Amino acid sequence: MKAANPQEWAEPSQDSPHRSLQRLVDQVAGYSIGAVFNRILGIIVACVYPLLLSKEEYGRLDVILSIPPLLACIFYLGLDSSLPRFYYDENRGRQRERLVSATFNSVILFTLIAVVLLLLFSRSLALWLYQDARYILYFRLMLIGMPFTMASSIAMVVLRLQGRIRAFNILMAANLLIAAMCGITSILLLRIAASGVLVGFIAGNMATAAAGIWIIRADLAPVMPLRELTQLLTIGFPLALSGFAMWLIGFVNRPILVRHVSADDIGLYAIASGAVAMFGLLIAAFRNAWQPFAFSIMEHREYKGVYARALTLFTAVGATAAVGLSLFAPQVLLLINLYTHKDWSGAAQTVGPLALGIILSAMFSVIQTGAFIARRTGVIVVTVGIAALINAGLNFLWIPWWGMMGAALATAVGHLASLVIGYLFAQRLEPIPYHIRRLSFTILAASVAIATGSRLHSEMGIHDLLLRSLILIGFCGLLLVGRIINRDDLLLFRNINWFAPHKENQAGRAARENA
C-alpha cells in the first residue's frame, strides 16, 4: 500500500502525529464552514415548515423521510464505504477513474432498477407500512427522487476523497437552499402540504446531482470495470448489510410510534429529530473528514496513536455540543412556540438521548476503522446486527410505556451497544490503543449533565438560563480537570487554518500524480 502523500510521510519527524492531527482538525474545520451555513439555513427552514404544516402533517413527513436513508444503504451496495479504503492504494489516475466509475455506474444502475420495481408495488407497500392511504403519494415522490439522491451522494463521496472541500460545501448548501425554496413555494402556491416538501427535496437533489456529475466528470467513464467492482464489493457488500442494521437503530421506531402514539406526538418527535439532525450536520463535518484522513495516513508508523487521540478529542467536543443542545433545547422550543403559535415544547425531552446517540454513532465510525484495515468488514455486520436487535426489542418494550421518550432512549442504547460490541471485535482484528477510561468518563458525564438538565423547569427567565449555563460550564470543567482535554488539544483549535485543507489536498494530489 502507498501512502496518500508520500512526500509528507517519507521522513516523519517527532511531531508528525501532532501535525497529522492538526491536518484532521483543519479538514474538519473546512467542512464545518459548510455545516454551519447549512445549520443556519436549516434553522430558518425548520422555523418555516412548522408554520406551514400542522403537527400531523409534519409528523407524516418525518415518517416518510425515514425511508430514504434505508434505501440509500441498500442502493449503495456498501461501495460508498469501500471506495475510500481502496482509493488511496492507487496513485495512478487511470486506476482511480476505474474505481470511481465502477462505484458510480453500478450504484446508479441498481438504483434505477430497484426504483422501477418499487414504484410498481408502491401502493401496496405504503398501505402495508403505514396503514394510511395518505402515505401513498409521499412514498411515490420519495422513490422518484432516489436516483438523483444517489447520484448526488456519490459525487459528494468523490469530492471528499479528492479533498475538494470548497466544492463539497457549495453543493451541500445549494442542495438545502434549492430544496427549501422549491418546497416552500410548492406548499404556498400549489397547496400540497407535506408533498411540497418532498417536491423540494427532488428539485434540490436533481440540481446537485447534475452539478456534482459535471464537477467529477473527469473521473467518470461509461464502462463497468468488473475487476474493480469485485474488489469493492468484497468489503463493501457486508457494509450494505450493516448500513441496513444501522438504519434500524435510527428509524425502526417510526412504524412503532405510528401505532402507539398520537399524530401530534409523532410531530413532536419529528421536531426533536430535526433539531438533532441539524446538530448532526456539525458531527458530519468530522465524519466527512475522517475516512479520507484515516486511510491516507495508514503508512505512518504512529497512525494508531493518532486514531486514539482523534477519537478522544472528537468525543469531548461532540459531547460538549450534545450537552449544550439538550440543555437549551427547551428555550429554543419556547421561541418556536411564540413564532408558530403552536406548542412544540414536549419535543425537548427527547433531544438529549437523540443527540447522545449521534455522538455514539460517530464514535463507532472511528472504532470500525480497524475492521476496514484488516479487510474484515463482515464483523461490522455482526456488531450492528446485534445492536439493532437490542434496539428493536427496546422499542417494542419501551414505546408502549413511555411513548416517544422510549424511542429516543432505545436509539441511544442501540448506538451504545454497537460502539461497545464493535470495539471488542475490532480490537481483536487491529488493536488500537484507544483511551477507554477517558471515553467512558466523557460519555458518563455527558449523560448525567443531560439527565440533570431534563429535570429543570423550562422558562425564559434569567435564573433558568444561568442554571443551565452553569451545568454546561461544569461539564467543560470536568473535561479539563479529568485531563480529557489538554493543552496540546487546545493548541490544535487555536492553530486552525480554515483555508489550509483545500490547499493541502491540492498539493497532496499533485505529489501523488508525480509519484
Side-chain angles (χ1 to χ4, degrees), residues 1 85-86 89 231 234-236 238-239 294-295 298 303-304 307 366-380 422 425-432 434:
M1 183 188 305
R85 176 61 183 83
F86 292 105
D89 286 357
Q231 181 185 36
T234 300
I235 69 171
L239 296 175
F295 295 136
M298 283 171 48
Y303 75 93
K304 292 185 179 182
Y307 287 3
V366 177
I367 292 293
Q368 68 179 358
T369 305
F372 276 92
I373 295 173
R375 301 190 182 188
R376 295 280 301 279
T377 53
V379 301
I380 300 177
F425 276 121
Q427 289 298 93
R428 294 176 64 89
L429 299 175
E430 188 74 18
I432 297 174
Y434 295 114

Side-chain angles (χ1 to χ4, degrees), residues 249-250 253-254 269 272-273 275-277 279 283 318-319 321-327 329-330 333 346-362 391 394-395 398 402-417 443 446-455:
I249 295 175
N253 53 39
R254 298 316 197 270
Y269 193 80
S273 299
V276 173
F279 163 70
I283 303 303
V323 170
L325 177 65
S326 176
L327 287 172
L333 289 170
Q349 61 177 316
T350 61
V351 170
L354 290 175
L356 201 57
I358 291 284
I359 300 299
L360 294 169
S361 176
N391 169 260
L394 293 178
N395 273 304
W398 288 349
W402 298 334
M404 59 182 182
M405 188 59 181
L409 290 172
T411 300
V413 173
H415 286 303
L416 177 62
I443 295 301
S447 301
V448 172
I450 290 172
T452 302
S454 68
R455 301 184 66 85

Side-chain angles (χ1 to χ4, degrees), residues 106-318:
S106 57
V107 168
I108 296 303
L109 178 62
F110 182 70
T111 298
L112 290 172
I113 294 173
V115 165
V116 170
L117 293 175
L118 289 171
L119 282 172
L120 292 176
F121 301 98
S122 57
R123 179 181 179 84
S124 299
L125 285 171
L127 291 175
W128 175 69
L129 285 171
Y130 307 111
Q131 301 177 357
D132 188 336
R134 288 173 293 186
Y135 280 95
I136 296 174
L137 176 59
Y138 302 152
F139 191 71
R140 288 172 175 169
L141 288 172
M142 178 272 300
L143 288 174
I144 291 171
M146 283 307 300
F148 306 108
T149 300
M150 300 307 297
S152 176
S153 298
I154 293 294
M156 294 293 193
V157 171
V158 177
L159 290 177
R160 284 169 45 211
L161 294 175
Q162 295 176 346
R164 302 172 74 172
I165 299 176
R166 188 177 306 164
F168 181 94
N169 286 338
I170 291 173
L171 284 186
M172 285 287 290
N175 186 300
L176 183 55
L177 185 61
I178 294 171
M181 292 176 60
C182 293
I184 293 171
T185 301
S186 299
I187 294 173
L188 293 176
L189 297 183
L190 302 180
R191 306 290 182 182
I192 54 177
S195 298
V197 181
L198 295 173
V199 170
F201 284 140
I202 294 174
N205 283 319
M206 285 181 64
T208 51
I213 292 173
W214 174 259
I215 293 173
I216 67 168
R217 64 190 184 281
D219 298 292
L220 296 175
V223 296
M224 185 69 74
L226 295 181
R227 185 177 70 85
E228 285 75 12
L229 180 59
T230 302
Q231 181 185 36
L232 290 166
L233 286 173
T234 300
I235 69 171
F237 184 72
L239 296 175
L241 299 177
S242 66
F244 171 72
M246 188 62 75
W247 176 90
L248 289 175
I249 295 175
F251 295 103
V252 74
N253 53 39
R254 298 316 197 270
I256 304 174
L257 283 167
V258 168
R259 289 168 171 78
H260 289 93
V261 304
S262 67
D264 281 355
D265 279 351
I266 294 176
L268 293 176
Y269 193 80
I271 282 287
S273 299
V276 173
M278 286 187 287
F279 163 70
L281 287 174
L282 295 175
I283 303 303
F286 174 78
R287 288 179 177 269
N288 290 333
W290 173 252
Q291 268 199 340
F293 170 80
F295 295 136
S296 71
I297 69 167
M298 283 171 48
E299 284 296 307
H300 187 273
R301 63 186 179 186
E302 299 182 58
Y303 75 93
K304 292 185 179 182
V306 175
Y307 287 3
R309 188 177 170 199
L311 180 59
T312 301
L313 183 59
F314 163 76
T315 303
V317 174

